[in-house]
Amino acid sequence: AQSVSQHNHHVILSEAASLELGCNYSYGGTVNLFWYVQYPGQHLQLLLKYFSGDPLVKGIKGFEAEFIKSKFSFNLRKPSVQWSDTAEYFCAVGDSGTYKYIFGTGTRLKVLA
Amino acid sequence: NAGVTQTPKFRVLKTGQSMTLLCAQDMNHEYMYWYRQDPGMGLRLIHYSVGEGTTAKGEVPDGYNVSRLKKQNFLLGLESAAPSQTSVYFCASSTAWTQYFGPGTRLLVL
């Protein structure tokens, strides 16, 4: 069955700390991977996406993610977080044809000023 | 360009009541989706549509019905609300891979 796992449910960091959020997927078809962010009180917006090619993808606001096929992972990273990165982050795998997503359970990140 | 809008923003229902949530998009997108978001469970797909007049079941379709009579609108119906349907409901639309989300509808079923 298709699934996405995010093992870190809550993460607390101080400003300037480095961030890595884990995402593992189980999917039998062509892998299309996404990270979305939901800032407090706002709707979800796309951070970055991976379809093929260079496994290191860069997104908005200094975020990047690395696709490691052998580990079925697509971890999100940021070298130095800011207070404004406080949000909930969702990893998703997309189904070719319908473009529907399967989301992970999300990781709540709190950045302390 | 309003993007994706949802009506209403918040609603309280009693068990057994019915209601319809409206999602509207002005981007001429073919694909539309309804999700529910519950603490610790992320977003789960309820129903989706790949074009006007078409609908399909997602991960958690039970207790919900949908209709897509016009390309720009995607309606989610609860025929007989249950407390387990207390949630935040998000609508999204896309032309392909990037989904654009609405602001959400918070539903409380007592």
Side-chain angles (χ1 to χ4, degrees), chain A residues 32 34 36 38 43-44 46 49 51 88 90 94-101 103-105, chain B residues 31 33 35 37 40-43 45 48 50 59 90 94-99 101-103:
Chain A
N32 304 286
F34 307 84
Y36 275 77
Q38 186 178 30
H43 51 85
L44 278 82
L46 181 68
K49 54 191 174 186
F51 300 126
E88 190 160 15
F90 294 93
D95 176 69
S96 299
T98 62
Y99 302 111
K100 62 179 182 175
Y101 293 159
F103 280 94
T105 53
Chain B
Y31 303 87
Y33 313 85
Y35 296 90
Q37 184 182 24
M41 304 190 76
L43 282 87
L45 183 65
Y48 64 100
V50 300
E59 301 170 71
F90 286 98
S94 73
T95 51
W97 281 117
T98 301
Q99 291 189 16
F101 284 81

Side-chain angles (χ1 to χ4, degrees), chain B:
Chain B
N1 233 4
V4 180
T5 58
Q6 293 183 232
T7 309
K9 289 184 171 53
F10 177 70
R11 183 76 182 267
V12 178
L13 287 180
K14 294 181 180 178
T15 298
Q17 286 185 318
S18 63
M19 78 163 294
T20 300
L21 282 67
L22 170 64
C23 175
Q25 52 96 2
D26 60 3
M27 297 174 282
N28 202 35
H29 286 170
E30 288 293 333
Y31 303 87
M32 296 188 75
Y33 313 85
W34 274 109
Y35 296 90
R36 59 178 290 173
Q37 184 182 24
D38 303 291
M41 304 190 76
L43 282 87
R44 293 178 292 168
L45 183 65
I46 304 171
H47 286 280
Y48 64 100
S49 168
V50 300
E52 181 179 316
T54 73
T55 63
K57 294 180 180 180
E59 301 170 71
V60 288
D62 294 342
Y64 305 95
N65 56 74
V66 287
S67 64
R68 183 111 181 260
L69 299 179
K70 293 183 179 180
K71 186 176 185 179
Q72 64 267 34
N73 295 337
F74 196 28
L75 279 64
L76 177 71
L78 287 74
E79 290 186 348
S80 179
S84 61
Q85 295 178 302
T86 292
S87 188
V88 181
Y89 292 86
F90 286 98
C91 175
S93 71
S94 73
T95 51
W97 281 117
T98 301
Q99 291 189 16
Y100 296 86
F101 284 81
T105 294
R106 191 173 293 273
L107 177 64
L108 175 62
V109 182
L110 302 175

Side-chain angles (χ1 to χ4, degrees), chain A residues 1-3 25-32 72 93-96 102:
Chain A
Q2 304 161 2
S3 65
Y25 64 90
S26 171
Y27 189 72
T30 301
V31 172
N32 304 286
F72 301 94
V93 61
D95 176 69
S96 299
I102 296 170

